[in-house]
Each structure stands twice: as C-alpha cells, then as structure tokens.
Amino acid sequence: MERLSRHLDGVSLFVKRDDCTGLGFGGNKVRQLEYYFGQAIDEEADTILITGAVQSNFVRTAAAAAARVGMECHIQLEERVPDVDALHRSSGNVLLSRLLGATFHCYPTGEDESGADARLEEIAEQLRRHGSRPYIIPLGAAHEPLGSLGYIDAVAELLTQLEQQSLRMDHLVVTSGSGSTHAGLLFGLRAFGSQIGITGVCPRRDAHSQQRRVAGHLEKLASMLDLDPAVTPEDIRLTDVSLAPGYGRLNDATVKALQLTARCEGLFLDPVYTAKAMAGLFHLAEHDQISGNVLFWHTGGQPALFGYGEALFPQV
Ligand SMILES: *Cc1c(COP(=O)(O)O)cnc(C)c1O
C-alpha cells in the first residue's frame, strides 16, 4: 500500500485480503465457518442457527454457507447499536441475508451473550419438535473457539506466501471482536515458530476485557489441539483507541481511515471493524508503537457500508 504508507511515518504497509475469501462477499467468517459447518455436516444437521448484530457479517456469511450446502438458516439479529436509521435495518448485510433465504428472529438487547445463546437454544428446541436437526453456532466466550482453527490455517498460508515473496513482516494488525481471529492468528504464529508481533484493535469492548477474552480462547485452543505454544500475557497486545463511542458507531478517526484508504488505494474498509482497525494502526504508527513492514489483516465486512450510507454522508 505505497500511497497509504506515505501517511504513516516509518511504516511500509501491506494488506492480507481476507475480504476476498470468496463465499457470499467473503470476509474472515468464511475461514471460521469452514470448521462450524464441518461439525454441522458431521452431525447431519439440516438447519444452522446463528446470532449477531443487525449488520452482522457472520450471519450473512453463515446464510451463504448454508445455502451452499443445502441447509436452512435461522438468524437472530440483536439490537447492539442504538438509534439506527432505516437503511441500517434494510440494506447491506440485512438485504443479503434476505436474498439468501434466511429466517429472521429479533433479540431486544445487544449486550447479553448468554441470553442470546439461550434464545437460540429455544428456537432449536422448537425446530426439533418439528422434525428438524438444528446446529447452533454459539456466541458466548465459554464455548470452544472452533472458528479460530481457520485462522491457524491462515497463518500457515501467510507464512508460505511471505516465504514465496521473500517478504518479512515486523508486525500484524487485526480487529479483535469476538477474538476468534486474533486468538487463532496469535496461536498459529507461535505454534509455527514465528515471532511476528500482533496487535488487536477493539471494536466491541475495552482492551482489558478483550485481553481476558483472547487469553481464554488461547487456553481452550491449547487443550483442543493438545499443543501449548506458550503465549505469554504480554504477547496479547490490544488497543481500544478507536472504540468510542461504542460498537458499530462511527468516530472521526474511523471515518478518516475509511476515506483515506479508499482515496489512496481504491480499497474499501467497513465502518464497524476494519476502519476502526485502520484508525488503530494509524494511532500505533503515530506513537511509534509499530514500525517497519506492517501487515494489515483485512477481515472484510464491506457490505455493511451500505447500511451506513446515511451515517457517512447525511442527506441535507
Ligand atoms: C466478525 C468480524 C471481525 C471480528 O472477528 P472476530 O473473529 O470476531 O474477532 C472483524 N472484521 C469483520 C469484518 C467481521 O465481520
């Protein structure tokens, strides 16, 4: 990213394009869903249940994967973002999930992970009574981070690509939402013997809470794989500089990152995750916390842009 790098003192910026993972407009959830759907197919499920924010990329990609393997998909949309407009509820990922034929359910709050999971269980129970075989993709941090396995695979892919292109990375920056991607990448890097630093940028909760969440995923991965890459707490680096005023809500630095990336590189970020991550990357560079070759892991999410049209460019 030569032109964008000119805005970053001491940083040569590269991008890993996981917005191009292919299925149903792509994004990081495609790599995660490979493992959930593997398990669902093993269990001979015929219906997928998943919960997320109104503009969730995870539910949209799950609906696409369900279509692809011939399963039904039930999605539960949680009210995580206050005061949203009509576009937010009808366009972007909502439009795509409709097109994919998903059945919609609503959940009235957005900060109740165990409640949202419990409601999925209730829907699953109803479906079972009608003869379906449902499979739940859970939200809460107490569950095994199955999706992180896709990001351990992604590290193997990255290290091969770096070797083929004779490139060396000093640092990696990625969004840390549920933490599945961040934990998978960190675990994978250390398990494959790479010491590349990685910083997660928080779009959802403060750095302290996110640190605990990622640490929990790492512990579970170690026991799932019976492998301990000895990740230290200091290795779980996080920043929440671009979080305010909260999940799914814009701020000036985020809008600037979105515009600058588009205008320098013709590359679209999304308003909820990757633009916040890029704003975090700018902050880290300005404060000399990263330098050299930095890899920005683009986790996708661009369909949400269309749900944020009015928020980004208000009509007068
Ligand atoms: C879900 C999502 C993330 C966060 O990934 P986690 O694995 O949940 O941390 C980042 N970017 C986009 C575009 C997403 O949809």
Side-chain angles (χ1 to χ4, degrees):
M1 301 278 113
E2 254 174 56
R3 278 170 42 76
L4 194 55
S5 297
R6 287 185 208 149
H7 294 264
L8 291 159
D9 228 11
V11 167
S12 283
L13 188 63
F14 294 77
V15 177
K16 175 71 172 158
R17 298 290 306 274
D18 266 11
D19 55 322
C20 301
T21 47
L23 178 71
F25 280 136
N28 64 335
K29 302 311 180 318
V30 175
R31 292 189 194 265
Q32 299 187 14
L33 286 168
E34 187 177 348
Y35 283 87
Y36 287 107
F37 273 75
Q39 198 168 67
I41 290 168
D42 261 6
E43 293 176 10
E44 299 184 350
D46 58 12
T47 307
I48 297 293
L49 272 70
I50 186 166
T51 187
V54 171
Q55 279 296 333
S56 164
N57 302 297
F58 206 4
V59 306
R60 175 252 308 165
T61 324
R68 185 73 177 270
V69 299
M71 293 186 192
E72 298 286 313
C73 188
H74 284 250
I75 65 183
Q76 173 173 269
L77 299 185
E78 306 158 25
E79 296 295 334
R80 264 188 224 173
V81 186
D83 305 324
V84 296
D85 57 34
L87 262 187
H88 190 102
R89 293 189 185 284
S90 64
S91 188
N93 284 305
V94 179
L95 170 73
L96 299 176
S97 298
R98 283 224 170 89
L99 210 49
L100 290 160
T103 303
F104 285 66
H105 303 264
C106 297
Y107 196 72
T109 73
E111 293 306 327
D112 177 17
E113 291 193 331
S114 52
D117 275 341
R119 180 64 62 79
L120 286 187
E121 282 293 349
E122 287 170 27
I123 300 168
E125 196 43 51
Q126 284 169 13
L127 290 167
R128 273 185 216 105
R129 279 203 293 272
H130 288 91
S132 298
R133 293 186 303 278
Y135 175 89
I136 293 177
I137 298 175
L139 175 68
H143 301 275
E144 281 192 340
L146 211 51
S148 294
L149 300 178
Y151 273 89
I152 297 176
D153 294 339
V155 169
E157 180 183 300
L158 171 71
L159 295 176
T160 305
Q161 289 176 338
L162 292 178
E163 196 179 311
Q164 282 167 351
Q165 297 176 36
S166 303
L167 277 172
R168 182 185 50 80
M169 287 301 144
D170 296 298
H171 209 84
L172 209 151
V173 176
V174 68
T175 322
S176 194
S178 77
S180 297
T181 304
H182 184 186
L185 288 173
L186 178 54
F187 189 98
L189 285 168
R190 300 303 174 261
F192 287 113
S194 166
Q195 291 308 315
I196 302 175
I198 172 168
T199 299
V201 183
C202 304
R204 181 78 204 274
R205 54 185 79 71
D206 67 79
H208 186 71
S209 320
Q210 190 65 11
Q211 154 93 26
R212 279 204 306 269
R213 196 174 174 109
V214 173
H217 289 340
L218 290 167
E219 255 174 51
K220 291 196 188 73
L221 285 171
S223 71
M224 284 158 74
L225 297 171
D226 195 16
L227 181 75
D228 187 2
V231 181
T232 60
E234 301 76 63
D235 224 7
I236 309 174
R237 295 178 49 164
L238 287 152
T239 177
D240 53 16
V241 281
S242 46
L243 174 61
Y247 176 81
R249 298 171 74 190
L250 299 170
N251 55 48
D252 289 347
T254 300
V255 174
K256 188 187 156 204
L258 200 55
Q259 291 185 349
L260 201 59
T261 306
R263 291 170 191 186
C264 287
E265 301 288 350
L267 178 67
F268 296 123
L269 303 175
D270 84 289
V272 182
Y273 297 99
T274 49
K276 290 207 167 175
M278 189 62 88
L281 188 153
F282 268 79
H283 179 92
L284 294 169
E286 270 160 33
H287 293 80
D288 297 326
Q289 288 170 316
I290 51 171
S291 59
N293 287 353
V294 173
L295 182 70
F296 178 77
W297 203 294
H298 195 322
T299 47
Q302 293 102 327
L305 275 171
F306 302 101
Y308 279 79
E310 184 69 19
L312 283 164
F313 296 106
Q315 300 285 317
V316 284

